[in-house]
């Protein structure tokens, strides 16, 4: 069965430092991977996705993610964190090969806290 | 282009009642998916609709149902509400229902069951 794991419930970073939010996945077939961010009392905002091609994907608000097939990981990164990046981050996967259509499977979420 | 809109934003119901939530997708998007978000279970898939047809259904009881109209707008209905149905219900739309498509989410409907 397809699954996504975010091993850290919370990540704390000082403003200006680089940040990494970890994600590992398990799918059969080609993985289509997504990152979303959720601010309090809001829906999910799309950050970036990996479909195929370059393993380094660039997305919104200066975020990027690195796809690593051998380690089945898709970690979210940002070179310099902002206080406004503090939010809940979700990694998600969709396995087209199993006719999953549009269904997204989400990790449990990682709370990112950026302190001034 | 306007984003995904969901109405109402907040709902308070009592056990045993039923509720209908509405979702209007981004203009031109033909696929709508619904998710339930709770602190304990996280984000769970409910349904996916494309061209008025349900393509996928998650592991929820039959009390949860949905439909999609010819203009791609979608509704979901929960009958005989239980306390555990209290959650944020999120709707997402995409151009079609391909795995490569990005799903764009609405702000959600916060349902509280008393």
């Amino acid at each position: 069965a397809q699954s996504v794991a975010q091993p850290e419930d919370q990540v704390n970073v000082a403003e200006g430092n680089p940040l990494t939010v970890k994600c590992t996945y398990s799918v059969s077939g080609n993985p289509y991977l997504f990152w979303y961010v959720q601010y309090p009392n809001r829906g999910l905002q799309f950050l970036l996705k990996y479909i195929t091609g370059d393993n380094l994907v660039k997305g919104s608000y200066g975020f990027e993610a690195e796809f690593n097939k051998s380690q089945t990981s898709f970690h979210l990164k940002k070179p310099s964190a902002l206080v406004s990046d503090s939010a809940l981050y979700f990694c998600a996967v969709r396995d087209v090969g199993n006719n999953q259509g549009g269904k997204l499977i989400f990790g449990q979420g990682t709370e990112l806290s950026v302190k001034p | 282009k306007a984003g995904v809109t969901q109405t109402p934003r907040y709902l308070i119901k009592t056990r045993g009642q039923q509720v209908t939530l509405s979702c209007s997708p981004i203009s031109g998007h033909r696929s709508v998916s619904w998710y339930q978000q709770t602190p304990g279970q996280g984000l769970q898939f409910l349904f996916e609709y494309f061209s008025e047809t349900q393509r996928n259904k998650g592991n929820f009881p039959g009390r949860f149902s949905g439909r999609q109209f010819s203009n791609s707008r979608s509704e979901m209905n929960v009958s005989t509400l239980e306390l555990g149905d209290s959650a944020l219900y999120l709707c997402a739309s995409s151009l079609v229902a391909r795995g490569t498509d990005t799903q764009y989410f609405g702000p959600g409907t916060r349902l509280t069951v008393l």
Side-chain angles (χ1 to χ4, degrees):
Chain A
Q2 299 86 283
S3 65
V4 175
Q6 294 179 242
E8 300 159 317
D9 289 337
Q10 185 160 7
V11 170
N12 297 308
V13 177
E15 188 175 31
N17 283 1
L19 70 87
T20 299
V21 183
K22 296 180 180 178
C23 172
T24 59
Y25 66 89
S26 175
V27 299
S28 55
N30 294 322
Y32 293 171
L33 296 158
F34 300 79
W35 275 102
Y36 288 87
V37 60
Q38 186 176 35
Y39 294 96
N41 300 316
R42 303 283 295 276
L44 275 66
Q45 294 181 29
F46 169 71
L47 284 177
L48 51 80
K49 67 180 178 183
Y50 173 82
I51 302 301
T52 187
D54 194 351
N55 289 343
L56 185 63
V57 179
K58 293 191 182 297
S60 306
Y61 313 117
F63 284 94
E64 57 189 28
E66 188 169 8
F67 172 70
N68 188 316
K69 188 172 183 178
S70 63
Q71 296 186 4
T72 61
S73 67
F74 188 55
H75 300 333
L76 182 70
K77 301 182 179 184
K78 188 174 182 181
S80 179
L82 299 172
V83 173
S84 57
D85 292 330
S86 299
L88 186 57
Y89 290 79
F90 289 97
C91 180
V93 67
R94 204 154 60 203
D95 183 0
V96 178
N98 285 349
N99 193 31
Q100 292 296 307
K103 175 183 176 180
L104 284 170
I105 300 164
F106 287 91
Q108 71 271 31
T110 298
E111 186 78 42
L112 173 67
S113 177
V114 182
K115 300 295 186 185
Chain B
K1 192 179 277 190
V4 178
T5 58
Q6 292 186 245
T7 56
R9 291 292 310 278
Y10 300 92
L11 265 178
I12 300 176
K13 293 285 187 179
T14 57
R15 280 181 298 173
Q17 288 187 309
Q18 75 166 19
V19 67
T20 299
L21 312 181
S22 180
C23 171
S24 293
I26 292 171
S27 177
H29 285 194
R30 294 165 58 196
S31 178
V32 172
S33 297
W34 289 89
Y35 296 83
Q36 181 196 63
Q37 185 178 21
T38 60
Q41 300 298 316
L43 281 153
Q44 293 186 288
F45 170 76
L46 281 157
F47 331 95
E48 178 201 8
Y49 289 90
F50 177 68
S51 293
E52 302 178 67
T53 300
Q54 186 179 90
R55 287 197 50 176
N56 284 293
K57 188 178 190 303
N59 296 323
F60 280 82
R63 301 185 296 107
F64 291 80
S65 62
R67 58 179 176 169
Q68 186 181 32
F69 302 95
S70 59
N71 62 358
S72 296
R73 192 177 68 84
S74 177
E75 288 181 347
M76 69 163 281
N77 184 277
V78 187
S79 62
T80 319
L81 284 166
E82 300 177 0
L83 294 178
D85 297 332
S86 294
L88 181 66
Y89 290 88
L90 294 164
C91 167
S93 76
S94 59
L95 277 171
V96 289
R98 288 179 309 217
T100 54
D101 287 343
T102 299
Q103 292 190 356
Y104 295 93
F105 284 79
T109 294
R110 171 76 62 184
L111 172 64
T112 302
V113 182
L114 302 176

